[in-house]
Amino acid sequence: MEGASNGGMLYHEVQESKLCAVHCVNTVLQGPFFSEFDLAALASDLDTKERQVMSHAGPAPPPAAGGDFLSAESHNVSMGGDFSIQVLQKALEVWDLQVIPFSSPVAEPAHLDPDTENAFICHLHDHWFCIRKVNGEWYNFDSLGAAPVHLSKFYLAAYLDSLRSASWSIFLVRGNFPQEFPISSSEASNGYGQWLSPEDADRIIKSCSDAQDVQDPKPLSIVRPGTDSYEEMWSQREDEDLKAAIAASLMDSSAASSSALKDKEPEHKEPVGSGKEKEEAAKDEAKDTEKDKAE
């Protein structure tokens, strides 16, 4: 179990281009340990080794069996800067950390009590982000957010379950995590990384939520475009909007009907005013009739 690190500060990187894999690795390590050039070098090394293995595997295999590994195209980094899980594994192996699929039997204890772990890596649709325990507290270090989002231990398990339900790939990270990074060093800033106190991170998140009028409390990762949760969220909002529109329409129709009835009421009124006036008029008419008969 890790102790206090970086004087209680949180290291977060804000999304730059498509470098979420770089941000993910660095937030796992809690410091700007890797650049995009470092990961690109690891990707190139992996590509070279894969081609060597395939070239010495005997007769050239047909394309369907993996012959495309001999092409110049990289299978570990895209032109846009997205990296494969193998690259992230190699980067973290440098620090003696293991990356384990959440579906692995070895990871079963984490299903029951994820709080016993220290870090998770999540991936979907070319986006990587890290969930990390820092100084005993859990945070979502998604680079699409302005600051890390605190996660309670109770919510952590539900959050991971929701990610799995939305088809996210989840990996455990185990090993001896770096405890300190020299914040004052010249390497401390890479242009998109920053150290924040938990209080400052909380204020930034609240400020962003207020500015965007965010009503859904779930972190951004769950409502990312293209995910089932995102579609479900908008479906629910559309249903609510539809219900509101129907209710408003019914209210308008009711008001219009009431107004129409009021407009028609004068047309059905008798020329005589009140009921009392009618009664008196009837009595006078009866008296006149009796008088005529007497005469």
Side-chain angles (χ1 to χ4, degrees):
M1 192 67 66
E2 68 166 313
S5 63
N6 292 326
M9 302 293 281
L10 306 173
Y11 180 74
H12 181 66
E13 292 191 357
V14 179
Q15 184 78 19
E16 176 74 15
S17 186
K18 294 184 179 180
L19 300 180
C20 54
V22 179
H23 308 320
C24 180
V25 168
N26 284 337
T27 48
V28 166
L29 297 171
Q30 281 298 283
F33 290 87
F34 287 91
S35 69
E36 59 270 35
F37 304 107
D38 297 324
L39 294 195
L42 290 175
S44 177
D45 184 54
L46 283 169
D47 288 335
T48 299
K49 290 180 179 178
E50 287 170 355
R51 294 189 185 100
Q52 289 175 345
V53 170
M54 295 305 298
S55 64
H56 291 85
D68 61 339
F69 272 93
L70 301 179
S71 68
E73 180 183 356
S74 173
H75 290 262
N76 291 288
V77 59
S78 69
M79 294 299 292
D82 183 47
F83 294 91
S84 69
I85 181 60
Q86 288 78 12
V87 174
L88 275 68
Q89 287 176 321
K90 284 295 182 182
L92 293 174
E93 281 177 5
V94 173
W95 293 93
D96 198 26
L97 295 172
Q98 289 183 303
V99 178
I100 304 169
F102 201 57
S103 58
S104 169
V106 179
E108 288 183 1
H111 293 208
L112 301 175
D113 188 5
D115 187 47
T116 59
E117 303 296 330
N118 282 315
F120 298 90
I121 287 176
C122 308
H123 178 259
L124 180 69
H125 295 318
D126 298 333
H127 185 68
W128 298 94
F129 75 94
C130 157
I131 302 172
R132 175 78 149 85
K133 183 191 288 183
V134 181
N135 303 323
E137 297 292 333
W138 284 97
Y139 295 89
N140 178 353
F141 287 92
D142 193 332
S143 56
L144 294 179
V149 178
H150 180 264
L151 303 177
S152 68
K153 295 178 182 179
F154 174 78
Y155 184 61
L156 175 65
Y159 184 26
L160 290 172
D161 285 342
S162 66
L163 289 175
R164 293 174 66 193
S165 298
S167 301
W168 285 77
S169 298
I170 303 176
F171 304 86
L172 302 180
V173 182
R174 289 176 176 170
N176 297 317
F177 293 80
Q179 293 299 303
E180 297 290 337
F181 184 90
I183 296 177
S184 59
S185 75
S186 59
E187 299 177 358
S189 176
N190 55 16
Y192 34 77
Q194 59 182 335
W195 275 271
L196 299 167
S197 68
E199 295 76 17
D200 286 340
D202 186 56
R203 278 193 291 269
I204 291 173
I205 293 299
K206 287 183 178 179
S207 176
C208 292
S209 296
D210 292 341
Q212 298 173 6
D213 193 25
V214 176
Q215 297 180 358
D216 185 41
K218 292 183 292 187
L220 293 174
S221 307
I222 293 189
V223 294
R224 188 175 318 289
T227 65
D228 293 340
S229 296
Y230 180 86
E231 299 299 334
E232 180 182 354
M233 179 192 74
W234 279 108
S235 177
Q236 291 174 350
R237 290 188 178 180
E238 288 174 354
D239 288 344
E240 292 172 359
D241 291 342
L242 178 59
K243 290 178 182 177
I246 293 174
S249 177
L250 291 175
M251 290 180 65
D252 291 341
S253 298
S254 177
S257 298
S258 299
S259 177
L261 287 174
K262 289 181 180 179
D263 291 340
K264 291 180 180 180
E265 284 177 1
E267 297 177 2
H268 299 286
K269 286 183 179 179
E270 298 293 335
V272 182
S274 66
K276 187 175 181 180
E277 291 174 343
K278 287 182 178 182
E279 185 179 350
E280 291 178 353
K283 288 180 179 179
D284 291 341
E285 184 178 352
K287 288 180 181 180
D288 292 341
T289 301
E290 291 177 358
K291 186 177 179 180
D292 292 339
K293 287 180 179 181
E295 292 177 351

